[in-house]
Amino acid sequence: MSVRFALLAAVALTLAACNRSPLEVVVSRCPAVAVVGDMNTLTRFKGEGRATDDVMYTASIMDVRSSCTEEEAVDSRVEFVVGATAGPAFSERQITLPYFIAILKDNSQIVSKEVFEVTLKFDQKGFARSREIVTQHIPTIEQARRYNYEVLIGFQMDAQDVVFNMER
């Protein structure tokens, strides 16, 4: 009888410790944050060639994290790392790369897009990194409640860069 009582007491204590309803839904007005798939890596070549020996550098957007405050307005803070590796054709010490942050409403309408630049300085081993922090603002909490917002990040590219990424 004491084994049953101990088991029943353990179950009761476990359930009491979990006093939250598992069906409770918390609605957040914070926008989702994502890196655009074919715009997260940028490879630059020297000249017209596209061989491995022609690669000057390859840069990537990685380690994306976001946080958000919901008060009278919604402010989304996005942190990420831009990293690059020098290729065989690289001869510089630093590069400056453009990237964008765009806010989409209901997965289709671009509300805003801003282009930023990051300067990367390469070390002796041919690596460079920079942590970027950008804050995006949705003016009112009512506006955030009405629509689904999303923050997208990517390198600002021309058509050739996008085609190269899609083909690789």
Side-chain angles (χ1 to χ4, degrees):
M1 198 60 131
S2 68
V3 173
R4 273 189 182 167
F5 179 74
L7 184 58
L8 185 58
V11 169
L13 286 173
T14 302
L15 290 175
C18 299
N19 60 2
R20 282 187 27 172
S21 168
L23 301 177
E24 181 179 336
V25 176
V26 177
V27 177
S28 173
R29 298 300 168 206
C30 295
V33 177
V35 179
V36 179
D38 288 328
M39 300 179 117
N40 69 335
T41 301
L42 178 63
T43 301
R44 288 280 187 236
F45 296 91
K46 186 172 187 172
E48 298 297 316
R50 293 284 188 245
T52 305
D53 291 341
D54 298 324
V55 173
M56 292 190 335
Y57 60 83
T58 299
S60 297
I61 296 172
M62 56 195 146
D63 298 332
V64 178
R65 296 185 180 126
S66 67
S67 59
C68 179
T69 58
E70 300 176 65
E71 294 172 359
E72 294 297 316
V74 176
D75 290 310
S76 177
R77 183 174 188 245
V78 180
E79 291 184 55
F80 56 95
V81 172
V82 178
T85 305
F90 189 69
S91 60
E92 306 295 320
R93 297 296 306 155
Q94 70 180 30
I95 57 174
T96 299
L97 302 174
Y99 66 89
F100 68 85
I101 304 285
I103 297 180
L104 263 63
K105 179 170 73 173
D106 288 340
N107 297 324
S108 62
Q109 183 181 358
I110 297 175
V111 175
S112 69
K113 178 184 173 187
E114 195 170 351
V115 178
F116 300 88
E117 287 187 340
V118 58
T119 298
L120 300 174
K121 295 179 182 179
F122 287 83
D123 63 18
Q124 297 296 328
K125 296 179 182 178
F127 298 107
R129 293 174 61 97
S130 177
R131 178 162 296 279
E132 300 294 299
I133 300 172
V134 179
T135 301
Q136 296 297 302
H137 180 76
I138 300 170
T140 66
I141 193 71
E142 285 76 27
Q143 189 174 359
R145 285 185 184 125
R146 193 173 306 131
Y147 305 104
N148 291 318
Y149 285 92
E150 187 174 12
V151 176
L152 299 179
I153 307 165
F155 285 113
Q156 186 69 26
M157 299 181 172
D158 60 25
Q160 285 180 315
D161 295 328
V162 175
V163 168
F164 174 79
N165 280 353
M166 290 171 44
E167 289 176 344
R168 101 184 147 143

